[in-house]
Amino acid sequence: MTEPSAAVAPPQHPQGGLVGPALQPTRDLGATLPDLLDALLDKGVYLDLDLIVTVAGIPLIGVNLRAAVAGVETMLEHGMMRGWDEQTRAWVRESLARNVPLSADEEVVARMPGGHRRDAPPGDWRPGTVYLTSRRLLVWRADPREMLWQAALEDIIGIDLRTERSVGGEDRDRLAVTTRAETALLSVAAPGRLMALLREHGPDAPTHAPELRAQVWYLEERRGAPAWRGGTGTLGPGGLTWQGAGDVSPAVRAREIRTVQVRRARTPVGRQVLLVSADEGTVRLATRDAAWARALTSSVHEHSGGDPCH
């Protein structure tokens, strides 16, 4: 026989202090299992209860439980599990370094199955794993251990997709990488994604310091209802980007801002929403940093030469 008794208390971080707005309790009697999973991964669940297990009226086991359960991304946004995240990333780097010849300061940005076509006869495809790191693009074969092809990012001067007919008669997209010495043809599982990452991290990526970087919330469209996500907003000569904790690449990228509007609405950090319009679409942002809105407005001035719309 179990006799649970739950203590009602304001939601708090397990290490003390109130939890953020995204972890505030909600109640929906019509919620389904998918809705529960969405809430668990997005907003999270905070448990504060006392559980007593009795047998024949005699209390035998007492459990005092206080826990926050949420998706890893939500935990990171609220400052939880950061030590675990850093340790996990370090373990992944060390694990890769044991199998792939990486430098001490070299980090893997992406990896995917692929191969390299050898120019020398017989001109065959050599399968392996394609790695994009912070310094190189390489194709590595684990067994037997061999570097099939590699190029420093600073030596890459062109990337393009080429469609070729495979042996089986199917059209396949290949990634053509032009360096200062040659043009190499790579086969990868997701050539479009790798090309986008190369353009983001390659020699054409902005290398100067950003004008402004701050903690910014982004209203992301999701199934059922939009949800606020915390992350890092960056505004510089290359435009506006926003990236959530744990994201591989920015979820928002606006190269040229057209207008900035301020609307009154409830956000995790107040009652002000910034509507930023660009060629890529309109995004809704919120931040406590007052300089952020001013910087966005200045960016509109620079591109349009006129007054922005408020």
Side-chain angles (χ1 to χ4, degrees):
M1 177 178 180
T2 304
E3 298 178 357
S5 61
V8 179
Q12 296 183 355
H13 189 286
Q15 297 178 353
L18 294 178
V19 299
L23 293 180
Q24 293 298 325
T26 59
R27 183 180 184 185
D28 184 359
L29 297 179
T32 62
L33 180 59
D35 295 329
L36 175 61
L37 292 176
D38 284 345
L40 182 63
L41 295 174
D42 177 27
K43 297 181 179 180
V45 174
Y46 178 75
L47 303 177
D48 185 356
L49 59 89
D50 296 317
L51 181 66
I52 300 175
V53 179
T54 65
V55 177
I58 301 175
L60 296 179
I61 300 175
V63 179
N64 178 258
L65 179 62
R66 289 174 177 82
V69 183
V72 172
E73 181 178 309
T74 301
M75 288 285 194
L76 294 175
E77 290 175 1
H78 289 268
M80 294 178 265
M81 300 183 69
R82 291 192 181 257
W84 171 87
D85 182 64
E86 293 174 357
Q87 292 175 3
T88 301
R89 292 176 184 272
W91 176 83
V92 171
R93 288 194 297 269
E94 293 173 1
S95 177
L96 286 172
R98 288 194 294 267
N99 301 307
V100 183
L102 300 177
S103 303
D105 58 344
E106 190 174 13
E107 294 192 7
V108 174
V109 177
R111 63 175 177 172
M112 58 187 68
H116 168 253
R117 188 165 74 182
R118 181 165 42 190
D119 291 334
D124 56 342
W125 283 98
R126 300 182 295 169
T129 302
V130 178
Y131 290 87
L132 173 61
T133 75
S134 55
R135 300 174 60 180
R136 294 180 292 168
L137 178 65
L138 59 95
V139 184
W140 171 257
R141 181 168 59 192
D143 188 18
R145 294 170 61 87
E146 182 183 358
M147 182 69 72
L148 302 180
W149 180 86
Q150 64 175 324
L153 295 183
E154 60 186 15
D155 292 335
I156 297 176
I157 59 177
I159 48 177
D160 194 14
L161 290 180
R162 295 183 183 177
T163 302
E164 288 192 344
R165 185 64 57 89
S166 66
V167 177
E170 299 178 351
D171 290 337
R172 298 289 179 86
D173 286 335
R174 312 297 190 188
L175 189 66
V177 182
T178 302
T179 68
R180 303 180 191 277
E182 62 171 346
T183 296
L185 211 58
L186 308 181
S187 65
V188 289
R193 176 171 175 266
L194 182 57
M195 184 170 68
L197 289 172
L198 272 169
R199 288 175 175 170
E200 179 181 343
H201 297 274
D204 294 334
T207 57
H208 42 263
E211 292 179 355
L212 183 65
R213 177 173 294 163
Q215 177 73 16
V216 176
W217 290 77
Y218 161 58
L219 188 61
E220 182 179 61
E221 295 294 336
R222 294 188 177 182
R223 185 184 63 83
W228 286 101
R229 291 180 60 202
T232 301
T234 304
L235 180 64
L240 166 69
T241 63
W242 179 92
Q243 186 168 347
D247 287 355
V248 176
S249 58
V252 173
R253 183 180 296 278
R255 300 190 181 278
E256 185 171 338
I257 301 173
R258 300 298 183 186
T259 62
V260 178
Q261 303 178 36
V262 180
R263 298 285 178 84
R264 300 288 295 176
R266 183 179 179 184
T267 75
V269 289
R271 300 191 62 83
Q272 178 174 293
V273 177
L274 302 175
L275 273 68
V276 182
S277 298
D279 292 340
E280 295 81 0
T282 300
V283 296
R284 291 169 172 79
L285 307 174
T287 179
R288 290 191 178 94
D289 192 341
W292 186 259
R294 294 195 297 269
L296 286 170
T297 302
S298 299
S299 177
V300 176
H301 272 291
E302 292 174 1
H303 289 100
S304 64
D307 294 331
C309 175
H310 290 280

